[in-house]
């Protein structure tokens, strides 16, 4: 198990944090993570994070739901147990498709929503009984924590962070 050092810079204002992120990135330091008590608008852009691809996943999951709906309804209502309901013929799926549209819509939405939630939890590594990774409990209340990797540049980094308005700076050994 390899240990590396990180600096935890704590801020008490989100505007000061945003300014600090921009200055730290301009100085070419790598920000490992930022912990905030609430979503900070524009923070992902300021950190230079890539956009999410969850919309592509949602579309693909919706297609899976639509495919399941069409296959299920064709098997149940046409092949396995055809019934004459209200005088509607059950000779082919295409003839009955207008009646199946609500089911196709609902299963498309159902699969997209549920599989997106599962994907989000897996991608975020948030599974049941997982221990919280929050390094400072104050970040759930009113403080903001910026975690920056240290590569032999602690003094320059600490000076920079003090200039950006950090109220507290700690050097921490972080196990990977």
């Amino acid at each position: 198990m390899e240990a590396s050092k990180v600096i935890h810079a704590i801020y008490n204002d989100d505007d000061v944090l945003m300014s600090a992120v921009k200055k730290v990135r301009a100085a070419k330091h790598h920000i490992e993570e930022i912990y905030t008590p609430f979503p900070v608008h524009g923070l992902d852009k300021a950190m230079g994070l890539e956009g999410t691809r969850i919309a592509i996943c949602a579309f693909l999951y919706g297609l899976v739901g639509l495919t399941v709906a069409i296959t299920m309804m064709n098997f149940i209502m046409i092949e396995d147990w055809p019934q004459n309901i209200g005088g509607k013929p059950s000779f082919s799926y295409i003839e009955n498709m207008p009646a199946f549209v609500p089911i196709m819509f609902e299963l498309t939405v159902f699969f997209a929503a549920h599989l997106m939630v599962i994907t989000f939890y897996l991608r975020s590594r948030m599974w049941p009984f997982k221990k919280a990774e929050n390094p400072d409990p104050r970040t759930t209340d009113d403080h903001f924590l910026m975690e920056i990797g240290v590569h032999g540049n602690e003094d320059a980094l600490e000076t920079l962070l003090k200039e950006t308005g950090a109220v507290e700076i700690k050097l921490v050994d972080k196990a990977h």
Side-chain angles (χ1 to χ4, degrees):
M1 200 149 119
E2 183 184 317
S4 62
K5 291 185 178 185
V6 292
I7 285 186
H8 286 173
I10 296 180
Y11 296 86
N12 56 10
D13 185 67
D14 56 331
D15 292 328
V16 175
L17 173 74
M18 281 294 287
S19 174
V21 167
K22 291 172 185 170
K23 289 176 185 171
V24 169
R25 289 217 355 121
K28 305 288 188 220
H29 294 288
H30 176 67
I31 300 172
E32 302 274 333
E33 187 66 75
I34 295 181
Y35 299 89
T36 64
F38 54 83
V40 178
H41 180 69
L43 186 59
D44 52 343
K45 197 173 200 173
M47 288 178 65
L49 298 177
E50 290 180 16
T52 178
R53 295 184 296 269
I54 194 77
I56 297 167
C57 291
F59 178 74
L60 294 175
Y61 296 154
L63 287 179
V64 169
L66 183 62
T67 304
V68 167
I70 291 170
T71 305
M72 178 188 75
M73 289 181 298
N74 185 56
F75 178 75
I76 293 171
M77 298 300 290
I78 307 301
E79 293 177 20
D80 186 43
W81 195 308
Q83 299 175 45
N84 186 344
I85 301 171
K88 292 181 183 144
S90 57
F91 302 125
S92 73
Y93 180 82
I94 298 298
E95 289 176 319
N96 289 297
M97 197 170 80
F100 296 155
V101 168
I103 300 167
M104 293 187 305
F105 172 77
E106 291 298 331
L107 281 179
T108 299
V109 172
F110 179 86
F111 271 70
H114 285 78
L115 291 175
M116 277 190 339
V117 168
I118 292 168
T119 300
F120 171 76
Y121 282 136
L122 292 175
R123 185 72 179 96
S124 301
R125 296 185 186 100
M126 294 183 351
W127 35 78
F129 313 111
K130 184 176 189 294
K131 188 175 178 275
E133 295 178 2
N134 191 356
D136 193 322
R138 293 178 291 175
T139 60
T140 62
D141 188 21
D142 62 350
H143 283 73
F144 305 85
L145 187 142
M146 185 189 314
E147 187 176 274
I148 305 166
V150 175
H151 307 289
N153 56 353
E154 313 112 52
D155 296 333
L157 194 50
E158 280 187 37
T159 305
L160 173 66
L161 292 170
K162 283 178 187 169
E163 289 173 8
T164 63
V167 293
E168 186 179 317
I169 299 170
K170 285 191 280 189
L171 186 64
V172 179
D173 280 332
K174 182 177 180 182
H176 283 286

